[in-house]
Every structure is written in C-alpha cells, then in structure tokens.
Amino acid sequence: MGTTQLETVPEPKYWHLKTVLSEALDSEFAVGEILPNERELAARFGVARATLRQALEQLELEGRLQRRRGVGTTVAPPRVGVDVGSESGPHTWPGAPGDAWHTDDHACVAAPSTVAQLLDVDTEAPVHAVRRSRMTGGQQVASEILYVPADTVPAVPTDAEGAEGAGGTTHPTARARTVLRALHQCELGGQDRTVELGSARADDARRLDRLPGAPVLVVTTRYLVDGRTAAVSLATYRADTCRLSFSDGDAMSLMAS
Amino acid sequence: MGTTQLETVPEPKYWHLKTVLSEALDSEFAVGEILPNERELAARFGVARATLRQALEQLELEGRLQRRRGVGTTVAPPRVGVDVGSESGPHTWPGAPGDAWHTDDHACVAAPSTVAQLLDVDTEAPVHAVRRSRMTGGQQVASEILYVPADTVPAVPTDAEGAEGAGGTTHPTARARTVLRALHQCELGGQDRTVELGSARADDARRLDRLPGAPVLVVTTRYLVDGRTAAVSLATYRADTCRLSFSDGDAMSLMAS
DNA sequence: AAGTGGTCTAGACCACTAC
DNA sequence: TAGTGGTCTAGACCACTTC
C-alpha cells in the first residue's frame, strides 16, 4: 500500500537535518547569503543546538557552508580548483617564475621528525625553512614550508654561521629568495607527492583564517637530485575551500562545479 | 623570572587534551592497543565526556586513533600509502592487468549531476556504472564507481536494451568486466585528477566499515579520448587510514611513517 | 552593548559488539 | 547481558565581530 519504510533504519537526526539543509541551500539560498543563526535554526527544526551544529559541521566539511565566529553562517561558493603542479611534463623547483606562490619568510630550524626522516638528516640538524603562501581570489588557500638541508645549498650561510654577523641583518624574505635561487642551480631529478588529511596547527590556522584543528589537505612533496632527497615541502591547503587538481599537461580544460 | 605565560592564550580544553593524549600515544601505547573507555578517560582528565570526545575525534581524523562502536578505541597503525597511479609515464585505463582494484558490480544508472556535467551528457541519460573496491592489508580502503557513457562503449548493451532479455541474465560482475574490456579498445588520450575532502555516503560508509559522514578523500579522474571525456571515475578513500601517493615513475622509493 | 559562533557541562538513551 | 561508542538534550558561559 505504499507504506514507505517501517523505521527499519532509524537515521540519526543530524544526518537527516544535513540532507534537508543541503537541499534548502540548493534551492532557497544564494552564494554568500547569510543563514539564520544557530539558535533560531535549532528551534525551527525542533532540535538541540548541539544537534544542529553537528549537521552544520558536516556541511562545512563538505564546503557547502562557511561559519565565522561573531559574524554568522554563510553559503560558501563552490570549491576552487587549485593546480598542484602538472605531474606529467618536466618537474620544476618551487619558486620557479610564474608559480602561484608568494615567498614570505625564512628561518633555520630543526626539521620536524617526519621531515628529517624524508630528508635523511639528523633530527637536530638545522635546515633552511622557507615559508610561502598561496592566494586565490583574495583568499589565502595554502601555506607551505619548504625544508632544505644546508648541504643541498652549501653556498647559502645558515643563521648559525653568522649571516647576521657579516654585512648586517638581511631581511628574512631576501634570505628566503636566496635559498630558492640556490636551489634552482641544482638539476631536479624527479619528485613525488602524497596527499593526506590533517588538522591545522595553530599557526597555519591563523594564516588560513580558520580555527586551530580545521581540516586541511597536507601535500608532501619530495624533490630529488641524483636520487637523493634534496628538499621536502609541506603544503597545507584549506580542505573546506580547495579541490586539489593534478592536471595533465594535455588536458587543461576546466573542471566546472 | 621564567613566568611561562600569563594566560594570554586561553587554549580550549579539548585542544590541550588532544596534545596530552597525542604524547601519551607516542610514549605509552603500542599500535593496536585498546584505550580506557571514554567515560573513564573523561573522569581521569576531569572533563565532560563530550569534551573528551572532541579531542578523540581530532585524533581519529589525524589517523592516530580508531574507534569502533561496541568495541572500543584503539591506537591506529601509521597511515598506509596508497598509490593513485603514477601521473608521469603512460596513463592506463582502470582494470588494466595488475592494478590494485577488484571489480565488483555493474548497473546502468542516471549519472549524478556533477558526473553528468564532466561527461557532458544529459542528467537523465543512463550510463554504465562499474563498481570496484580496493583492498590493502586485508582492509578495504577505497570504493570506486566508474561512469562510462553508453556511446563510449557502443558494443556493450545497456540494461534498457534488453541484456537480460537476450541470452539470459548475465552476472553483474561479468557485465562489469565486459565494460572494462570494451574500454581497453579505445586509445586513452590523457587523464586528469582532482582530490578533495568529502564525507562518506551511507553505502560507501558501509563498504569502508565506517559510519555515514566519515571523512573521505574523493579522487575524481577524467579519462580522455580524442579530447573528449570518455569516462569518469569517482573513488572514495578512507581519510583516516590512507595517504594518497602520486609517485613518480623514477622515484619509487618508500616514504616511511 | 548586542549578537554571533565556539566551548563545556551533566546528564539520558540508543545501537552495536562480544561474551 | 554487560560494556562500548554514537546520538541527543537543555542549559551555561566565553571569544569574537560589529555597531
């Protein structure tokens, strides 16, 4: 008799709520529009605020919503496709002319253990750390640290070797550019990448205008010279707003939506 | 006098908790070991269970923990690196000999709107949908649907054209293999990939042994023939256990950890 | 100062697994 | 049946943005 379903699957409330909201977003809201606040939405749907928030969290994770403390919840634009280097074709060093990154900063630090392992250097050994950022449409979408062991670019002095002693304190950004220039002297033998889910550390979160712990896509790139790992880059992309694209050189047509 | 910090940054409890737990995992627990249950952990740290759960959720997101209803919370092994096709070198069709996937199933369905858009077919038009799954270490890590428009493989009958009428009902798996074989006849002109964060739909969640809404990495691959999109694959990887690797052909050394 | 989302609490009950 | 994690509630207070 067309009885639809005998409650065999008690779907969680927040899951159902998410579906309802998702459809409402498609049909009744425009991008950038601001939703009613959480307390009102919860009341309207007859659920506790925590339950409503569980649904909103999921929608934000999927890039449908954007929530900002003190402001409100808005309908997010479709995810932007960010090109993460064409894998076919020749590989290039970071900082090559015309790449999408801005060079920010430089320091000499001890590499994090995971990076030290990839670089095959001692955990204590200081390495160059070049910080870069990537903008798209006025928004910062990614933050990167490029780790370069001292012996990959022997011509560049480390802080410890008195870069500030001789010739005055050079600007961090200038030092960063020096490291990149030195890298370009090496012949890049190859590279490989991995992508995984992570949560933003406090500093990255601030840079990406998110709260600490926000979901991010972590792209780890290993740069090879003579079969050896000459540098490692750790790039952190906003998972809510980005779709990483590994486009073919041949197939650079646009993937809409 | 060594006063460390004057509460200028009131770190959230769950964030601090996450740090503490993370360090405890490194030093005091072995992979696979089962943690005390949530009620006890919450009591031990003097927080509400919801707060404790917020910390656990983050750690699970980062692949440090694995929680299973009715069982408990265990320490997760390091993420497995799953190779998502070497991008350099010749591209291959799915189902090529030696690939990591198992062919499961076949149906003729209307493509989801996002896929229809990529394929440039009408939303209503039925397309072949081949379902495949990928195992690693006894665990299913990914679930894929390959959408192939009827006119890419004209030799293969769609359900509507009476595949079941003539010659008896063929097995779904057999039909799936037929579609793949037909694909291999076409000359693959290129491909491109995108990676983004998503949440598992109910069916994928079941297959991946997760709850609905679990975070997944969605890999969208477009296969090109004569500059036209001849097929689209939507692959869903468990974000908690997988690290996607886009290895170079030259650089197939192992990325540990 | 008013209004927003973010954090936190202390409970309750449910769905699932294993014994 | 006992024990686990998953869902849900009704409230409180906090941090932040905006006016």
Side-chain angles (χ1 to χ4, degrees), chain A residues 152-245:
Chain A
T152 296
V153 286
V156 182
T158 59
D159 289 357
E161 288 165 11
E164 56 233 313
T169 315
T170 48
H171 195 70
T173 308
R175 291 209 309 274
R177 295 221 177 82
T178 306
V179 173
L180 291 180
R181 260 194 307 273
L183 264 187
H184 297 169
Q185 306 303 317
C186 308
E187 196 191 348
L188 183 55
Q191 68 183 43
D192 59 28
R193 287 210 168 86
T194 67
V195 178
E196 62 188 314
L197 180 59
S199 51
R201 297 192 319 274
D203 59 337
D204 282 329
R206 205 165 354 96
R207 264 176 263 266
L208 298 175
D209 188 30
R210 300 266 70 195
L211 291 174
V216 291
L217 295 170
V218 181
V219 179
T220 308
T221 310
R222 221 157 45 117
Y223 297 95
L224 302 177
V225 171
D226 295 333
R228 203 178 128 275
T229 306
V232 165
S233 140
L234 269 184
T236 297
Y237 291 80
R238 281 183 60 154
D240 56 343
T241 58
C242 292
R243 183 180 61 239
L244 306 184
S245 100

Side-chain angles (χ1 to χ4, degrees), chain A residues 4-11:
Chain A
T4 50
Q5 182 125 353
L6 278 161
E7 290 293 336
T8 59
V9 182
E11 199 176 47

Side-chain angles (χ1 to χ4, degrees), chain A residues 17 20-21 40-47 52:
Chain A
L17 203 49
V20 172
L21 284 169
E40 178 173 340
L41 277 178
R44 188 179 300 186
F45 287 105
V47 299
L52 186 266

Side-chain angles (χ1 to χ4, degrees), chain B residues 7-181:
Chain B
E7 290 293 336
T8 59
V9 182
E11 200 175 45
K13 272 191 191 177
Y14 78 90
W15 187 258
H16 181 239
L17 202 48
K18 181 193 137 185
T19 310
V20 172
L21 283 169
S22 180
E23 286 164 3
L25 289 182
D26 288 332
S27 59
E28 298 170 35
F29 288 90
V31 167
E33 197 168 344
I34 187 165
L35 266 62
N37 71 54
E38 298 186 348
R39 289 159 180 89
E40 177 172 341
L41 277 178
R44 188 179 301 185
F45 287 105
V47 299
R49 193 177 153 219
T51 305
L52 186 267
R53 277 179 62 80
Q54 218 173 334
L56 293 184
E57 249 149 53
Q58 286 247 359
L59 290 169
E60 190 178 30
L61 198 80
E62 294 173 23
R64 308 285 315 270
L65 291 179
Q66 186 143 351
R67 300 191 287 174
R68 269 184 301 170
R69 171 151 50 174
V71 181
T73 302
T74 54
V75 180
R79 283 191 175 135
V80 291
V82 285
D83 204 46
V84 185
S86 20
E87 293 282 321
S88 35
H91 300 150
T92 57
W93 285 111
D99 81 355
W101 296 82
H102 178 250
T103 306
D104 289 331
D105 210 349
H106 168 271
C108 284
V109 301
S113 63
T114 67
V115 173
Q117 220 168 310
L118 291 174
L119 288 171
D120 196 24
V121 300
D122 197 71
T123 316
E124 308 292 330
V127 298
H128 296 283
V130 174
R131 184 175 275 291
R132 304 196 304 158
S133 56
R134 180 165 183 167
M135 312 283 296
T136 293
Q139 279 282 327
Q140 179 159 353
V141 294
S143 165
E144 182 204 52
I145 300 184
L146 177 69
Y147 294 97
V148 185
D151 58 357
T152 296
V153 286
V156 181
T158 59
D159 289 356
E161 289 164 10
E164 56 232 313
T169 316
T170 48
H171 194 69
T173 309
R175 292 208 309 273
R177 295 221 177 83
T178 306
V179 173
L180 291 179
R181 259 195 306 274

Side-chain angles (χ1 to χ4, degrees), chain A residues 12-14 39 47-51 54 69-71:
Chain A
K13 273 190 190 177
Y14 78 91
R39 289 161 180 88
V47 299
R49 195 179 151 216
T51 305
Q54 217 174 334
R69 169 151 53 174
V71 179

Side-chain angles (χ1 to χ4, degrees), chain A residues 197, chain B residues 196-201 208 213-218 236-240:
Chain A
L197 180 59
Chain B
E196 62 188 313
L197 180 58
S199 50
R201 296 191 320 273
L208 298 175
V216 291
L217 296 171
V218 180
T236 298
Y237 291 80
R238 280 184 60 154
D240 56 343

